[in-house]
């Protein structure tokens, strides 16, 4: 981006950037041992609830897993697997719908 100082990006992009930044703060607090994985799992579950309808939630979930996933896996592998299964089910449904509409072209 342009460093975030410009106003041409609109509210939605600055809100998304702010959400990414706050999420990273929380994830790094977890990585440094200041928070438990339960908080990250609660956040992840909120993102999973809207993953099929919100690209922002999907991107934030990916960010959370990229930066905190290995620690989350060590803390509670069953809970992480549950999240992965739900995401796979949601994306399979979305991919099937998308493939059906794109193959008509």
């Amino acid at each position: 981006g342009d460093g975030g100082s410009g106003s041409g990006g609109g509210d939605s992009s600055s809100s998304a950037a702010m959400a990414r930044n706050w999420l990273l703060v929380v994830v790094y607090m977890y990585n440094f041992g200041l928070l438990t994985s339960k908080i990250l799992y609660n956040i992840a579950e909120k993102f999973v609830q809207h993953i099929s309808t919100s690209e922002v939630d999907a991107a934030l979930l990916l960010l959370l897993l990229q930066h905190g996933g290995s620690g989350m896996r060590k803390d509670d592998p069953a809970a992480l697997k549950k999240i992965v299964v739900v995401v796979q089910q949601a994306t399979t449904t979305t991919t099937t719908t998308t493939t059906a509409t794109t193959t008509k072209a």
Side-chain angles (χ1 to χ4, degrees), residues 13-37:
S13 66
S14 64
S15 294
M18 188 178 296
R20 283 192 304 272
N21 291 338
W22 278 112
L23 179 62
L24 284 172
V25 167
V26 171
V27 171
Y28 284 119
M29 288 176 71
Y30 162 72
N31 287 340
F32 290 123
L34 301 173
L35 299 173
T36 66
S37 62

Side-chain angles (χ1 to χ4, degrees), residues 1-18 20 56:
D2 63 357
S5 60
S7 60
D11 288 339
S12 64
S13 66
S14 64
S15 294
M18 188 178 296
R20 283 192 304 272
V56 172

Side-chain angles (χ1 to χ4, degrees), residues 83-97:
I83 290 171
V84 169
V85 168
V86 172
V87 169
Q88 286 175 334
Q89 290 170 346
T91 56
T92 299
T93 303
T94 304
T95 303
T96 303
T97 305

Side-chain angles (χ1 to χ4, degrees), residues 48-72:
V48 168
Q49 290 173 358
H50 304 107
I51 197 158
S52 62
T53 58
S54 172
E55 288 184 26
V56 172
D57 284 355
L60 290 173
L61 179 61
L62 177 61
L63 186 68
L64 184 147
L65 294 175
Q66 285 174 330
H67 291 272
S70 63
M72 292 170 70

Side-chain angles (χ1 to χ4, degrees), residues 33-48:
L34 301 173
L35 299 173
T36 66
S37 62
K38 184 174 182 175
I39 293 171
L40 292 187
Y41 282 114
N42 288 339
I43 293 170
E45 287 174 11
K46 296 294 182 190
F47 293 147
V48 168

